[in-house]
Amino acid sequence: MRPFTLLIKPASADCNMNCSYCFYLEKSFLYPEEKTHRMSHDTLEKLVSSYMETVQPCYTFGWQGGEPTLMGTDFFKKAVKLQEKYGRKKVLVTNGLQTNTTLIDSAMAGFLAKYRFLLGVSLDGPQYIHDHYRKMHNGRGSFERVMKGIDILKKAGVEFNILVLVNDFNYSRAGEIYDFLVENGFYYHQYIPCVEYDDGGRLEPYSIKGGQWGIFLTELFRKWYPRDIYRVSIRLFDSILQYLVKKRPTICHMEDNCSQYLVVEYNGDVYPCDFFVRKELLLGNIHTHSWQELMDSGIYRDFGRAKSSYGHICSSCQFLRLCYGDCLKHRYYLPGDASRLSSLCSGWKMFYAAALPAFKNIAASL
């Protein structure tokens, strides 16, 4: 069995916030029989024990949501105990957790630090930018609560990255966002394009278009290069350098096949990607299927191969090997039709045309 990573939704789409652009909140409609969704101990134990029976170079548990910290500290303590129980000697186990930090307290932070969880913290920039879309259920902005949670993490020594969602409001403010993060001592960044479609295949108003993505990345690169290339880690830039040096990117949209992850919902249902948690893409359930059966599923194989089913425009593109048609989500992928051009294509071309020569110089010096 080839290696794979788990993206786990222990609280499904449940969240204590109500961000306008969240793509996962609507997934709660897949499980309308329950008002709240929480992973049971039986499902947690089945998840951990069966995964650790497979042979992996590293057992990677990615806890996501919704908001996974709704599960409370005791849930993650149980998860770690199960990892210790079922883990063989001298195996590497890593835990990542994506959070808005608003539910983090000192007890949880101390636990996360002790077991070296790596956190991804959602923060879109300075307060007026962050609060534009990231709001609590009462309509108030979440910035102050997020920053309070970050302070608790820092005091406990928890390692974390900052996740910025690039949308229609902040795409022209890359430099301002970058400076804000660096001035606050945040040196590990991930910038994620907001691309959401309505049922008719039209971009939602808060999404970015290709040119806007290109503007953002180009300005971001000019802020980072050459001053901060050894000080600030930007996940996309790291992956580009990893590809140039070792021909192995570290971001899935740069791969030619979408088969790196399996998403596990709170009840054990498994899907190929958290962007594609759909009824028609349900692979099975961990209580009734082995991991081998799930990965051998025709749905999963077809989904993985769809990544390289790009159109003729991509085939002749000089930057093909840096994106392979881009993320299927950005192509508004529907089963049987994977050849659509990414909505971010023009932005990727703008960015690579401007920045790739400099990346090659950096790679040559490594």
Side-chain angles (χ1 to χ4, degrees), residues 195 197 201 203 210 306-307 309-317 320 323-334 337-349:
V195 180
Y197 295 93
L203 283 173
K307 183 66 165 66
S309 297
Y310 38 76
H312 68 280
I313 294 178
C314 294
S315 299
S316 59
C317 178
L320 173 64
C323 81
Y324 287 99
D326 200 11
C327 177
L328 290 174
K329 180 189 180 186
H330 303 158
R331 286 147 67 175
Y332 192 65
Y333 167 71
L334 296 172
D337 180 18
S339 62
R340 288 184 54 159
L341 191 66
S342 166
S343 63
L344 300 182
C345 178
S346 61
W348 285 120
K349 289 180 177 179

Side-chain angles (χ1 to χ4, degrees), residues 103-320:
L103 299 175
I104 298 287
D105 59 21
S106 58
M108 180 176 285
F111 165 79
L112 297 172
K114 179 179 179 180
Y115 289 97
R116 299 184 181 180
F117 277 58
L118 175 62
L119 271 59
V121 174
S122 298
L123 177 66
D124 285 350
Q127 184 165 6
Y128 84 96
I129 295 177
H130 177 92
D131 282 348
H132 187 77
Y133 283 126
R134 291 194 179 274
K135 300 182 185 297
M136 307 304 295
H137 280 282
N138 61 10
R140 294 180 180 176
S142 62
F143 178 83
E144 292 181 356
R145 292 184 61 178
V146 171
M147 293 301 287
K148 181 180 178 180
I150 289 176
D151 285 340
I152 294 172
L153 294 176
K154 291 170 72 174
K155 289 176 182 176
V158 179
E159 294 187 23
F160 61 90
N161 302 333
I162 297 296
L163 312 181
V164 177
L165 193 65
V166 184
N167 53 70
D168 71 311
F169 183 72
N170 66 4
Y171 80 88
S172 62
R173 298 171 169 89
E176 182 179 358
I177 294 170
Y178 181 87
D179 287 342
F180 167 79
L181 297 182
V182 173
E183 288 167 4
N184 278 275
F186 306 145
Y187 300 126
Y188 294 87
H189 307 177
Q190 182 176 348
Y191 297 91
I192 307 164
C194 181
V195 180
E196 299 294 334
Y197 295 93
D198 63 20
D199 292 338
R202 298 176 293 271
L203 283 173
E204 295 282 9
Y206 41 73
S207 298
I208 58 168
K209 299 178 176 65
Q212 295 170 338
W213 182 232
I215 290 170
F216 182 89
L217 287 181
T218 302
E219 183 181 353
L220 180 69
F221 181 79
R222 288 171 179 164
K223 274 286 182 179
W224 176 79
Y225 179 82
R227 182 187 64 182
D228 287 338
I229 62 173
Y230 296 114
R231 182 169 71 130
V232 178
S233 168
I234 296 176
R235 189 179 182 218
L236 171 63
F237 297 175
D238 291 347
S239 187
I240 293 170
L241 290 170
Q242 181 82 359
Y243 170 76
L244 292 175
V245 174
K246 295 187 176 181
K247 304 303 179 186
R248 293 197 305 269
T250 56
I251 295 180
C252 57
H253 90 261
M254 294 177 67
E255 299 278 3
D256 63 354
N257 191 293
C258 285
S259 58
Q260 295 84 18
Y261 305 99
L262 287 175
V263 175
V264 185
E265 259 288 346
Y266 81 106
N267 63 351
D269 283 350
V270 180
Y271 299 87
C273 172
D274 64 336
F275 291 144
F276 292 93
V277 175
R278 303 174 182 169
K279 287 183 178 180
E280 68 271 20
L281 293 175
L282 176 64
L283 306 180
N285 188 286
I286 62 172
H287 290 289
T288 55
H289 296 75
S290 69
W291 295 110
Q292 188 69 64
E293 289 172 328
L294 294 165
M295 296 192 74
D296 286 343
S297 161
I299 295 175
Y300 191 60
R301 290 179 178 273
D302 290 345
F303 180 82
R305 286 193 291 258
K307 183 66 165 66
S308 58
S309 297
Y310 38 76
H312 68 280
I313 294 178
C314 294
S315 299
S316 59
C317 178
Q318 61 178 315
F319 307 122
L320 173 64

